[in-house]
Amino acid sequence: MPSIQVRGVDHYYEWIRSPAADKAKPVMVFLHGWAGSARYWESTAKVLADNFDCLLYDMRGFGRSRLPLPQAIANAPTLTYELEEFADDLAELLNALQLGPIYLNAHSMGASVATLFLNRYPEKVEKAILTCSGIFEYDEKAFAAFHKFGGYVVKFRPRWLGKIPLADIFFMKRFLHRPLPRAMSKAFLDDFLLADYEAALGTIFTSVSKEASEVMPQEFAKLSVPTLLVSGEYDLIIPAEMGRQAAALSEKVEYVLIPNTAHFPMLEDAETYLQKVREFLGMSCQ
């Protein structure tokens, strides 16, 4: 598998390009969400490859970007699971691959990382698409319950779960309004079972926290890069209203709601999603 070392961790990455490409195109980088991987962006990237060289990668501790054993990174920098550090990982990845200004397409937790990246490194991005992102208010009891439940979910992930018939269907039920092909649902479950324990647990606490509820509105308000924020109408994970509120904080953010979809609008209604993305990017419909 192709990989590149970023701050002591081998990051899996892949390029999706049009096979008929006769010249370099602008680069679009894709960021996945919590406990996922770049695999679920492949179908979107393949369609956009006529106009972009698409770079997909798995964030540290997720998918195929496995964390090394402690003794293997004795001299590496100390890394935490703050979302800002994942933004810095992306900056290092772009530097290592010698990539200039890019287009950024990010989902869910990855969209929070992308928002931080846009404000820390605005010179590195031409335009951004944030899918299923938003702001939320702090609720001490609700957050404590979420963290406790999330801890159990991350801790008890037996590998044999992936062999139980229909387990993938039940696993994805909360995330979807429209069903996905079985192979894709199974890939989601596989990614969840494969995610590193420390990374999965650490990002639960940093993504949904009092600090995040205070910081993210400020980050959305500071955005200076033209950005499209896409919500799914029936998203239970990040309700559309949270996205609408986030988009309203900056004149640089354009907001789109995709009907009859939930937390994965780019997969549940790919045609509408791609139409909105093309319109935002000024691309002709194909």
Side-chain angles (χ1 to χ4, degrees):
M1 295 191 301
S3 66
I4 189 166
Q5 191 167 102
V6 175
R7 301 204 292 174
V9 178
D10 288 334
H11 281 61
Y12 170 86
Y13 75 99
E14 64 178 294
W15 286 100
I16 294 181
R17 297 182 170 104
S18 172
D22 56 358
K23 62 180 180 180
K25 299 184 179 74
V27 171
M28 180 175 287
V29 179
F30 293 78
L31 288 180
H32 63 80
W34 181 81
S37 78
R39 290 194 287 184
Y40 69 69
W41 274 124
E42 289 177 0
S43 59
T44 305
K46 286 176 181 177
V47 176
L48 293 174
D50 286 342
N51 300 94
F52 295 91
D53 288 334
C54 297
L55 175 64
L56 285 64
Y57 79 99
D58 293 348
M59 290 191 285
R60 170 168 41 94
F62 297 105
R64 294 145 291 188
S65 294
R66 310 302 301 153
L67 294 180
L69 296 174
Q71 58 267 30
I73 55 173
N75 297 320
T78 300
L79 301 177
T80 72
Y81 298 103
E82 298 293 337
L83 300 187
E84 291 87 349
E85 290 219 4
F86 285 96
D88 291 339
D89 287 350
L90 173 56
E92 290 295 328
L93 178 72
L94 297 181
N95 290 338
L97 294 173
Q98 299 182 329
L99 296 177
I102 62 163
Y103 291 77
L104 190 56
N105 198 342
H107 174 249
S108 196
M109 185 193 83
S112 295
V113 171
T115 302
L116 295 165
F117 182 85
L118 293 174
N119 287 328
R120 293 165 83 94
Y121 307 97
E123 74 284 355
K124 293 182 179 291
V125 186
E126 298 284 357
K127 289 186 176 182
I129 301 132
L130 307 177
T131 302
C132 298
S133 186
I135 58 173
F136 50 86
E137 295 183 1
Y138 177 66
D139 183 321
E140 184 176 4
K141 290 183 178 180
F143 280 31
F146 175 80
H147 292 153
K148 184 176 181 179
F149 176 74
Y152 286 135
V153 168
V154 171
K155 185 175 183 178
F156 299 107
R157 293 175 297 156
R159 291 297 176 89
W160 50 257
L161 184 62
K163 301 183 183 300
I164 296 178
L166 303 181
D168 55 293
I169 300 296
F170 288 105
F171 174 74
M172 290 301 295
K173 188 174 180 62
R174 179 170 171 77
F175 299 95
L176 302 173
H177 183 68
R178 301 182 184 184
L180 300 179
R182 284 296 304 279
M184 191 171 291
S185 293
K186 289 179 179 178
F188 273 106
L189 179 56
D190 289 344
D191 283 338
F192 170 70
L193 297 175
L194 187 64
D196 178 84
Y197 174 77
E198 296 293 338
L201 186 64
T203 49
I204 283 179
F205 284 95
T206 57
S207 298
V208 182
S209 65
K210 185 175 187 294
E211 180 181 3
S213 70
E214 296 169 346
V215 168
M216 292 310 297
Q218 299 174 35
E219 294 293 331
F220 275 103
K222 290 192 299 184
L223 285 173
S224 61
V225 175
T227 300
L228 175 68
L229 198 158
V230 181
S231 292
E233 181 182 13
Y234 297 111
D235 191 348
L236 299 178
I237 309 302
I238 304 177
E241 183 57 29
M242 292 183 178
R244 189 177 289 107
Q245 291 173 4
L249 294 173
S250 172
E251 61 181 14
K252 290 292 185 177
V253 181
E254 177 182 334
Y255 180 75
V256 168
L257 177 74
I258 299 188
N260 300 315
T261 64
H263 197 56
F264 289 90
M266 67 284 207
L267 301 176
E268 297 173 74
D269 186 356
E271 182 179 357
T272 300
Y273 180 84
L274 288 164
Q275 175 190 343
K276 298 302 182 182
V277 167
R278 287 187 174 113
E279 289 173 358
F280 170 69
L281 297 175
M283 299 162 52
S284 59
C285 293
Q286 299 175 2

